[in-house]
Structures are given as structure tokens and as C-alpha cells.
């Protein structure tokens, strides 16, 4: 997985999180309230700024709203750079009972029953979560026969792993 792919996948997940959406709405409402307050103050003072606190807060809020996506992408890129495991290519072997991975750092395996949930970041990535802190990043473009994306969906359904599509 390249840094750009990691950032793209995780940024898309971040944007779809309920907490992120809630924070966006809160920020929007706060900015609208500040803008309304500024307009009321300007109208009452013959269109002259008497207090710079509201315009300053409004400017900071707007700057934060504009820079927030860039800041999140930057943090994701820094996280990728620090995590050498993500930078190693992993070859996955999927069987009816387990998922096995092999990279330059070693090998691992896990039972399908250990997978708590799956997230399909369309069109190319399937994230399998054995716990909330980590996941396996499967590049669907690199699946080899006999495991094809349709085969993988059947495998997930057989193990009753719900797939959320993002």
C-alpha cells in the first residue's frame, strides 16, 4: 500500500465517521452564528466594526474549516511514515477457515471467526478488522485465483461478517 493509497482510504473513512459529520455540522452552525452576530453588530454600528473579537473568531473558524482536511491528510501521511508495517507489501492467502499474510517482516494468520467487521472502500480496498485498533488492508485489484472479489463476498457471508460499503 502506498502512502497516497493509505491517505485516500483513511481520509474517506474519516469523512464518513458520524463524529466527523457531527463536528462539521457544529462548526458550520458556529460559523453561521458568528457571521449573523457580525452582521447584526455591523448594522447597529452603521457598518463599522466596533469590536474585533467576532470577526477574529469568524476568521479563525473559517481558516480552521478550510485547513482541516489538509491537516487530517497530513496527520495520516505522518502516521503512514511512522508505521513500517504498512509500507511492506503483503501477500494474502484466503482459505475457507483463515486469512494468512506474508511480507518481508514475517508471516501471520488469523481465523475468519476473529474478524469483527469488514469495510469495503470502493472500488479497490477491503479492510478486515480483527479488533478496533488494527485492520488488514486487502487490495482487491491484486487478488489471485481462486479468490476473486465475488468469491470473497461469499466467504464473508459464510462467516457472517457484515460488510459496510464506503
Amino acid at each position: 500500500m502506498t502512502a497516497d493509497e493509505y491517505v485516500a482510504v483513511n481520509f474517506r473513512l474519516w469523512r464518513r465517521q458520524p463524529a466527523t459529520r457531527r463536528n462539521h455540522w457544529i462548526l458550520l452552525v458556529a460559523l453561521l452564528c458568528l457571521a449573523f452576530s457580525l452582521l447584526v453588530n455591523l448594522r447597529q454600528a452603521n457598518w463599522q466594526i466596533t469590536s474585533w473579537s467576532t470577526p477574529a473568531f469568524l476568521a479563525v473558524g473559517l481558516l480552521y474549516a478550510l485547513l482541516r482536511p489538509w491537516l487530517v491528510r497530513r496527520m495520516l501521511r505522518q502516521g503512514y511514515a511512522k508505521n513500517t508495517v504498512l509500507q511492506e507489501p503483503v501477500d494474502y492467502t484466503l482459505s475457507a477457515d483463515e486469512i494468512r499474510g506474508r511480507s518481508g517482516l514475517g508471516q501471520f494468520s488469523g481465523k475468519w471467526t476473529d474478524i469483527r467487521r469488514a469495510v469495503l472502500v470502493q472500488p479497490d480496498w477491503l479492510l478486515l478488522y480483527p479488533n478496533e485498533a488494527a485492520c488488514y488492508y486487502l487490495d482487491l485489484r491484486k487478488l489471485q485465483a481462486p479468490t476473486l472479489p465475488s468469491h470473497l463476498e461469499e466467504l464473508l457471508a459464510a462467516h457472517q461478517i457484515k460488510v459496510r460499503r464506503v
Side-chain angles (χ1 to χ4, degrees), residues 5-154:
E5 290 172 324
Y6 177 81
V7 170
V9 166
N10 286 287
F11 184 75
R12 196 164 172 187
L13 290 173
W14 173 78
R15 283 184 34 207
R16 296 292 299 255
Q17 291 295 321
T20 303
R21 289 180 177 188
R22 186 176 47 250
N23 287 340
H24 284 178
W25 280 107
I26 291 170
L27 181 59
L28 177 65
V29 168
L31 290 174
L32 289 174
C33 288
L34 283 168
F36 181 73
S37 174
L38 180 62
L39 285 174
V40 168
N41 287 337
L42 285 172
R43 189 164 182 236
Q44 289 175 349
N46 288 333
W47 303 103
Q48 293 182 5
I49 296 177
T50 57
S51 171
W52 284 97
S53 61
T54 303
F57 281 125
L58 184 59
V60 168
L62 286 170
L63 186 64
Y64 175 70
L66 294 173
L67 290 179
R68 189 170 186 216
W70 178 81
L71 291 169
V72 169
R73 283 187 182 101
R74 183 171 176 254
M75 288 173 41
L76 288 169
R77 195 167 296 281
Q78 288 173 344
Y80 179 86
K82 289 178 185 176
N83 192 342
T84 56
V85 173
L86 290 171
Q87 299 169 24
E88 285 288 323
V90 178
D91 292 324
Y92 288 100
T93 305
L94 309 174
S95 69
D97 297 328
E98 68 181 353
I99 177 172
R100 290 185 300 268
R102 185 182 35 182
S103 72
L105 299 174
Q107 297 180 11
F108 63 89
S109 67
K111 299 282 184 195
W112 283 109
T113 55
D114 294 337
I115 303 297
R116 304 275 184 248
R117 63 186 177 101
V119 177
L120 177 62
V121 182
Q122 296 175 342
D124 299 326
W125 293 93
L126 178 67
L127 283 56
L128 300 172
Y129 289 85
N131 59 51
E132 290 301 315
C135 71
Y136 304 127
Y137 290 88
L138 271 70
D139 188 348
L140 299 177
R141 298 167 295 188
K142 295 183 181 177
L143 288 179
Q144 297 175 1
T147 306
L148 300 172
S150 60
H151 206 218
L152 188 56
E153 286 183 35
E154 293 170 7

